[in-house]
Every structure is written in structure tokens, then in C-alpha cells.
Amino acid sequence: MNSPISLQLFNKISFAPSSHRAVYLQLSDVILSSIKKGKLRSGQKLPGSREVAALLKINRITVARAYEELQSQGWLESFVGSGTFVSSHIIDHEPENLGGGLVPASLKKAGFVMPSQNYLDSASDHPIMELHLDDGYPDARLAPLKEFYRAYRTQLTRSGLYDKFGSYGNPAGPGYYREAIASHLNETRGLKAKADNILSVRGTLMGINLVCSALINPGDVIVSGIPGWKRAEHNFIHARARHIGIKIDEHGIIVDELREICRKQTVRMVYVTPHHHYPTTVSLRIDRRLELLRLANEYGFIIFEDDYDYDFHYKHSPLLPLASADENGMVIYCGSFGKSFSPAFRMGYLVAAENVIQHLARVRILLDRQGDHILDNAMAELLNDNTVRRYLRKSLAVYEERRDLFCGLLSAELKDKVSFAIPEGGMTVWTEFDPSINLEELAKKAFRKGLYISDGKAHQYPDYKTNGVRLGFASSSKEELIKSVEILKGLEY
């Protein structure tokens, strides 16, 4: 005889006609939830399919399919002539111990212990606001999205589909993309790279993480400038390396301090952003560049050159990358289209000696078999037909106008509150506020007015304090920049 309790449970079931989930699956979901919550117990008999169908006004076959679905998963068991029962192999739980609500507790919190790593807590994204003086992002409204769409579509319709879709490719990236990147870098940055010197990555962070995984051992010393890019530093920590920070002045990292460190201990890698130091935007002076290369040759450390915004320089032709003057294979050069097109474009590259690329590709395959070859080849099309060159020329002129307008507004409207140097390139202004101004409170006030700015926490260190933030101008139109500065001017300080 069927339990009146289980029949009562079925009486409360309702279905969502608008749901994309079949009715029999909705019914099986409810039965399964009742079992997990202890409302249906191990060995308890369920009402017959005919009885449930009449009660719920659905087809008997629908009920039978729901029962069969749960039988196949092991939650129910059926015996000819006896009926359908909750599996006797299920251990009963008290309902009050399983929690309620629509979302199971298991989807909110794991039952196992995870290591506590404070450096991962800073990974939250800033809110999307109509007005924003961000970290220095490009304006996606200027990006050649239509051209990219056409190039991507072409990759899906051309011949040779087996090569693209039917098998795995080179983990270093497709040859077409690597050749296009090598040619582009040779022409624009003075490199002498070939396809075998290129590895495709999904942005700069992946490049840093891959190098740390493949070339850094626990306890290795990594040196970088302070203040610096916390995301890179967190990769060093995650690799269990020992991170040492050296000072930054108006000419970049102080290489003399690096020399003293090298004399006392073995340095495995030096991370630099020489074109425009992050976050201060200063350029590494030529004599320091040459000395950094000399020290790398003398002491055998890797130089990881993060050239995140080389394409945007306004005053004069930019200094060529360290990699262009590297004669001994000491530099790993990294670039990304995220800073040229949009942060949503997770496309970049590492450039290094052939044996380094081969080694990194072998390690990369453990995490990401090969990346997105279709996406890479679409970008290669834009490089080869000069779309990228035309876009960069156009956006460079636009960003220079925005820089000049923004710096003029800061000088005119906030001259008593901020100090800054007009950047020679890049997409942001390193801005130091008066020490009496609380940047965290200022950011909150601006947010309430519809403007996003950083609260400056990302640039604070135990032994380094600054009241500075990066105010990005490139992703905002002239009108948006004017409104943003008006908001900053109108805040209570």
C-alpha cells in the first residue's frame, strides 16, 4: 500500500510550462530533492505511476519516465509485482541536517578544506560604470570589430576544415598566427623573431603564469619594481618564489639596487615593464636598459619584459624593447592585444629563444591544449592585411587628443588637489592626490555620483605608501572625460 506521506508530497508538485526542461525531468528533480532532504526515506514505496498521473493530471508515461530516470541513476529501485521504492542502498539523513532552500548547500560551500591564500582575495573586478577613469584600457568602440568578425567568419568557411577542427594543433599556436606575429614585431619593434620564437597565450597573465610554472622553482628569487603590478606579483607568490621589490624613480627601476642584490644572492628572474612602468608610467632610461641586459648576461637571470602598451606613444618614437637588443637569449618578451583592442580579447604572445618556446609549449599543454587556433588565425588575417596598423594609427591620434584634454582638465579643475606628469605614452595618468585626501572615501563618493575610479589600494605596500592612482583616459570620449572631471571637482574633500 502506498504511503499517505509520499502521496502528500506528490500532491504539492507543480510544473513550470515555460521551462525548457521536460516535465518528466521536472518531476524527477522534485522526487530527487525529496530524497536528499529526507522527506522520502530509504526503502519507502512510491505511489504507482497511474495514481501519480491522475493526481498531477499528466500522462502516465511521463511519470514512468521520471521513475526510470531515477532508477538509472540509482536513486530508485523497482520490483516486478511489488512497485517502485527509494533505493535501499541510500543512507537516511535527518531532514533538519540537510538544509532547505532552492540551492543545495553543496553548491554554496565545498565539504573539503581549501588553502587560505590572501593574495587571491584581490582578484575582484571593478563595477561597470558609464563614467570611468579606469586602469588604462583601450576604447572598444574604436576597435575594428567588423573586420575581426569577417576574418573570424572566413576561418569557419574556408577549406581545410579537418586541419582546423578535426585534430589538435601545435600547443605553441598555429603557424599562420605565429608567422604573422613575428613579422609584425620585427617591423614595429625591431625584433628578429621567427615563428619558432613565438608562443600564443591568452593574455599577459597567462604568459606570466606559464613562465612561472615552467621556469621558476620554489625558493627562486624574482625581482621587480615597487610599486608594481600586483597580479604579476601574486603569480610569483603562487609559484612559491621569493619576491624582492626594488625602488622606482622617474627613470624606472633603480638598476643599481638590482646589482647589489645579484652580488649577494642568485636571482632567477627580473620582471619589468620598461616602456611604461606599471603603475607610474615612467620609461626605463636607456643607460639602465643597457645595464639591465649586462647584468642578465653576467648573472644569468631571466628578464621577463611585459610590454603591455608599446603601441601607444605620443611624444616621439618609443625606445625599442629590451628584447630587440638581447644577443644572448636572456629576455622573454610578452605582449597582448587586450591593451590594443579590448580587455575582452584574450590574445597575446610570448617571444623567446626556440628552446624556451618548445619547453613552454610542453608545459602549456598540461593546462590548455593549444588555445583557440581559429581566433589566432583571424587575428593573423588582420595583421597581414594591415588592418591592425590602420587601427593603431587611428586610435593613437584619438588617444593623444584625449590625453591632452584630460591633463588640461586636471590642471585647470583639480590643480590644488592633484599632481601628475603628462605621460609620453600609454592610456593612463599616474595621479597623486594631496595626502589629506582619503582615496578610499573619494572613490566611494565618486561611485555614488556614477563615476568609477580606483581607491588606490592596489598600489600600497607595507614599506611603500602612496596616495596615487591610475586615471585612465583612453576608454572615455571627450564628453565623458569632461563629465568625469566635473564629478571629481564637485566632491567634498
Side-chain angles (χ1 to χ4, degrees), residues 100 222 410:
I222 299 178
L410 289 179

Side-chain angles (χ1 to χ4, degrees), residues 160-171 173-174 365 369-374 377:
L161 292 183
Y162 181 79
D163 294 339
K164 298 175 182 177
F165 301 106
S167 63
Y168 290 112
N170 191 327
I365 204 172
R369 174 58 180 81
Q370 64 181 44
D372 190 334
H373 282 204
I374 306 300
N377 284 333

Side-chain angles (χ1 to χ4, degrees), residues 207-404:
I208 295 171
N209 186 273
L210 180 59
V211 167
C212 286
S213 298
L215 299 173
I216 303 299
N217 293 316
D220 281 352
V221 172
I222 299 178
V223 178
S224 68
I226 299 294
W229 190 27
K230 290 284 182 69
R231 297 289 173 86
E233 295 163 11
H234 294 165
N235 268 283
F236 308 153
I237 296 171
H238 198 68
R240 292 185 290 172
R242 190 158 66 89
H243 177 232
I244 298 177
I246 57 178
K247 294 177 183 177
I248 297 290
D249 63 15
E250 67 272 21
H251 303 300
I253 61 170
I254 300 177
V255 180
D256 289 344
E257 291 191 12
L258 174 62
R259 185 188 306 108
E260 293 305 312
I261 294 171
C262 290
R263 287 173 178 171
K264 297 175 182 178
Q265 56 193 301
T266 300
V267 172
R268 176 57 172 165
M269 187 167 77
V270 175
Y271 170 82
V272 288
T273 50
H275 188 51
H276 299 126
H277 174 72
Y278 185 96
T280 64
T281 75
V282 299
S283 297
L284 186 61
R285 200 170 58 191
I286 183 63
D287 58 318
R288 296 188 183 185
R289 290 169 178 251
L290 296 175
E291 179 63 7
L292 179 58
L293 286 168
R294 192 193 68 78
L295 290 175
N297 294 330
E298 180 179 354
Y299 292 101
F301 58 75
I302 302 164
I303 297 175
F304 189 104
E305 182 175 14
D306 178 357
D307 212 1
Y308 66 96
D309 64 356
Y310 180 89
D311 292 313
F312 303 105
H313 206 82
Y314 313 117
K315 188 176 180 180
H316 49 69
S317 298
L319 289 171
L320 293 176
L322 294 169
S324 68
D326 177 27
E327 298 180 352
N328 296 296
M330 308 306 295
V331 178
I332 297 176
Y333 181 81
C334 184
S336 168
F337 291 103
K339 288 294 186 182
S340 301
F341 280 36
S342 160
F345 281 82
R346 305 314 305 155
M347 304 176 67
Y349 44 84
L350 292 175
V351 186
E354 290 183 16
N355 64 327
V356 174
I357 295 299
Q358 292 167 4
H359 177 66
L360 293 175
R362 287 193 291 267
V363 175
R364 186 253 182 85
I365 204 172
L366 301 175
L367 172 67
D368 181 17
R369 174 58 180 81
Q370 64 181 44
D372 190 334
H373 282 204
I374 306 300
L375 196 65
D376 284 349
N377 284 333
M379 180 58 75
E381 291 281 354
L382 300 191
L383 288 168
N384 288 336
D385 69 9
N386 287 323
T387 295
V388 172
R389 286 279 192 92
R390 290 191 296 271
Y391 158 71
L392 291 175
R393 284 196 299 268
K394 173 186 173 182
S395 57
L396 181 66
V398 172
Y399 293 158
E400 184 174 10
E401 288 183 1
R402 293 178 181 179
R403 179 205 63 172
D404 293 343

Side-chain angles (χ1 to χ4, degrees), residues 55-66:
L55 182 66
L56 299 178
K57 295 182 174 57
I58 59 177
N59 194 296
R60 180 184 176 187
I61 296 177
T62 300
V63 181
R65 290 188 67 188

